[in-house]
Amino acid sequence: MNTPAAIGFFDSGVGGLSVLRHALDKVCAIPLVYVADSGYAPYGDRSTDAIIARSRHITRFLIEQGAGAVVVACNTATAAAIDVLRNEFPVPIVGMEPALKPAAAATGSGHVAVLATQGTFGSARYAKLRSNHDKQVHVHEQVCPHWVEVVEQGDLNNPRVLDVINASLAPLTSTAVDTYVLGCTHFPFLEASIRRVVGEQITIIEPGTAVVEQLRRRLNLQHCENQRSPLRAFTSGETDRLNRQFETLIGVAIEADRLPD
Ligand code: DGL
């Protein structure tokens, strides 16, 4: 396939930065365009129809910006909308799903926990994924209230963060779970705090690098590591806030623009 003029990424907010950060110098300097749909975050509690409408609007915008491939850097939006996007748009669309397959390969105890949004757990896509693995491993599912919110706020050293994580994970720490799947792209930013709760011996799987590898395969990109991509960013929320979030979460300076309605 031809090398695209740009690659688009989107998420309900800044979660997708946990994927984008792995692409910055791994895609042959192809320009990257990131959309944070912060004016509509979180997606986790929204209806499937609402998430499809936002995903369609953003994908159309990214293609107008030159994107010849789009990464849905959000498990919830992938679960709700990826089939629709692939049907409607003539570009490769790469999505995310909780990394149950590598978790099933990694677990020693046979107990795996998936941390994700209600939207992801409630989807037909996730049900199918789970049914491919639940004969092999015991899958514990945990919705994590307020985790997306604390990442969006960006104050990751606030003591409240640990309380929020503890409240969700405490029930799991007394089980045989030895492998945690971060099934929401916001959660990798909480990994240090998650580790403080679950301990050092536990395996934590986040799919950011695997998704970028999949993107590279899909676009047939080879031998172009260490070439930095130019980056633009848009938000349906406040641009100043997105600028600060880029700096805090992935150490990148940008000047974001408003996403048109
Ligand atoms: N980051 C998103 C995900 O991967 C969703 C967060 C949300 O908006 O609820 O599922």
Side-chain angles (χ1 to χ4, degrees):
M1 90 160 270
N2 294 336
T3 304
I7 302 170
F9 284 71
F10 76 90
D11 177 54
S12 61
V14 289
L17 298 185
S18 70
V19 183
L20 180 86
R21 65 181 170 180
H22 297 293
L24 288 171
D25 56 4
K26 289 277 187 315
V27 292
C28 306
I30 297 171
L32 304 178
V33 186
Y34 185 87
V35 171
D37 201 16
S38 304
Y40 293 81
Y43 280 179
D45 308 325
R46 288 189 185 272
S47 70
T48 302
D49 284 352
I51 298 170
I52 289 174
R54 292 308 299 164
S55 300
R56 184 185 272 138
H57 175 68
I58 293 166
T59 301
R60 190 175 298 124
F61 172 78
L62 287 168
I63 292 172
E64 282 164 13
Q65 299 304 305
V70 172
V71 178
V72 185
C74 175
N75 293 263
T76 312
T78 299
I82 199 160
D83 292 339
V84 173
L85 300 179
R86 284 181 173 151
N87 270 334
E88 293 185 6
F89 296 100
V91 299
I93 310 239
V94 172
M96 322 259 324
E97 64 183 17
L100 260 179
K101 192 175 173 188
T107 180
S109 68
H111 286 253
V112 165
V114 179
L115 313 180
T117 66
Q118 193 55 55
T120 296
F121 286 136
S123 68
R125 242 188 131 74
Y126 176 77
K128 184 157 179 268
L129 174 73
R130 184 186 160 132
S131 73
N132 290 337
H133 295 285
D134 63 5
K135 281 171 220 60
Q136 203 186 338
V137 289
H138 189 113
V139 181
H140 303 249
E141 288 162 359
Q142 184 67 47
V143 176
C144 299
H146 309 301
W147 289 29
V148 170
E149 188 185 307
V150 297
V151 173
E152 288 290 320
Q153 282 161 359
D155 185 9
L156 300 181
N157 296 319
N158 189 313
R160 174 170 177 249
V161 173
L162 213 51
D163 293 343
V164 160
I165 291 173
N166 223 342
S168 303
L169 298 190
L172 291 169
T173 54
S174 56
T175 67
V177 168
D178 65 355
T179 305
Y180 284 75
V181 174
L182 305 186
C184 168
T185 52
H186 282 75
F187 298 172
F189 293 117
L190 298 170
E191 188 166 340
S193 303
I194 295 170
R195 252 212 196 285
R196 285 181 64 187
V197 174
V198 301
E200 289 302 321
Q201 307 309 318
I202 296 299
T203 302
I204 297 178
I205 299 185
E206 67 115 338
T209 43
V211 170
V212 171
E213 272 315 307
Q214 191 192 340
L215 173 69
R216 283 165 49 87
R217 278 196 300 277
R218 192 68 206 279
L219 300 180
N220 202 16
L221 303 178
Q222 284 159 357
H223 311 303
C224 57
E225 284 86 358
N226 305 321
Q227 297 176 34
R228 190 82 173 174
S229 290
L231 174 65
R232 285 182 300 149
F234 296 84
T235 177
S236 54
E238 290 167 28
T239 52
D240 287 353
R241 183 159 183 235
L242 186 61
N243 296 342
R244 283 197 302 277
Q245 289 165 315
F246 261 78
E247 190 68 60
T248 316
L249 295 174
I250 61 168
V252 170
I254 50 145
E255 284 193 28
D257 288 306
R258 268 292 291 182
L259 177 72
D261 290 334

